[in-house]
Amino acid sequence: RADGRSGPVAFGRWPVSEPDVIKLGAGTVPFGHSFVHSEAFRALFHEGMELVEDTAAYLDGEGRFDSKRLPREGVIAYATESMRLTTRLMQIASWLLLQRAVAEGEITPDQAQLENNRVHLTQQDTITTVEDYEALPARLKELIGLATRVHARILHLERLMSEPDSVPASPRPNPVAAQQRLLEQVFGGN
């Protein structure tokens, strides 16, 4: 280090050891590495885990009463959609907890990817008819919508994080160097 101290270098908001800097070189920091240390990830983690808690509270409380007031077809749709919701939220929580473990240094990104392969994030097609879905309690539909949006964001992030890091970014032209070349051409540089 230039300051003569040893140990991790502060890079952004997280420490990076010298071997990491050498491995990263002058290129970009992999998206996954930077994302799990960001405020955006912390906000997503909080949102996702709060949604898990809210859904559990609803399904174990008010949702039981809501489902008892439904006609037979509605009860089947309620059971189906609440199970799909629970599955989706388990995938969300698993992914968020794995990424937090990476951020806290408990596991490596490669270990997290191996675990992600076991609990694969999947798109879920609904078999519930539009009429049956519309008859579901408003709170359940709201929770389904929130979970679907968080799940879609995580699927998008997962795609970004799993892209190969070896793709070099095209270098941007240096505007100062371009101006210097122009000045040298005009005034005859040495």
Side-chain angles (χ1 to χ4, degrees):
R1 290 176 47 162
D3 60 8
R5 296 182 300 182
S6 62
V9 177
F11 186 73
R13 292 182 172 247
W14 69 95
V16 176
S17 67
E18 289 179 23
D20 288 338
V21 172
I22 292 167
K23 183 170 55 174
L24 293 173
T28 59
V29 175
F31 174 76
H33 185 73
S34 62
F35 179 71
V36 298
H37 293 90
S38 70
E39 285 299 319
F41 172 72
R42 284 187 276 286
L44 179 62
F45 183 88
H46 178 73
E47 179 183 352
M49 298 311 278
E50 188 175 300
L51 181 58
V52 168
E53 290 175 15
D54 290 349
T55 301
Y58 171 76
L59 293 175
D60 285 341
E62 183 183 339
R64 289 179 190 238
F65 298 111
D66 288 347
S67 68
K68 290 179 182 176
R69 290 182 253 165
L70 295 171
R72 184 180 189 293
E73 301 81 27
V75 171
I76 293 170
Y78 181 94
T80 302
E81 292 303 318
S82 63
M83 191 171 301
R84 285 171 28 84
L85 174 60
T86 302
T87 301
R88 178 173 282 140
L89 289 173
M90 287 173 50
Q91 290 177 353
I92 288 170
S94 174
W95 189 88
L96 290 170
L97 290 168
L98 280 172
Q99 299 313 314
R100 185 179 71 175
V102 170
E104 293 177 355
E106 296 172 7
I107 62 174
T108 67
D110 291 337
Q111 290 169 321
Q113 188 58 46
L114 286 173
E115 290 298 319
N116 272 340
N117 291 339
R118 289 186 196 152
V119 182
H120 188 66
L121 295 168
T122 58
Q123 287 283 34
Q124 298 174 350
D125 294 328
T126 185
I127 56 173
T128 303
T129 66
V130 173
E131 295 81 23
D132 287 342
Y133 183 82
E134 288 301 320
L136 291 174
R139 180 65 176 149
L140 180 63
K141 290 190 293 188
E142 177 187 9
L143 292 167
I144 290 169
L146 292 170
T148 300
R149 283 189 289 281
V150 171
H151 191 258
R153 285 171 36 209
I154 288 175
L155 284 172
H156 178 72
L157 289 167
E158 183 64 22
R159 280 191 296 277
L160 290 175
M161 293 169 77
S162 64
E163 288 178 356
D165 298 327
S166 61
V167 178
S170 59
R172 293 184 181 181
N174 182 338
V176 173
Q179 289 296 318
Q180 285 177 331
R181 281 192 299 277
L182 286 173
L183 288 171
E184 287 173 359
Q185 289 173 354
V186 171
F187 295 108
N190 299 341

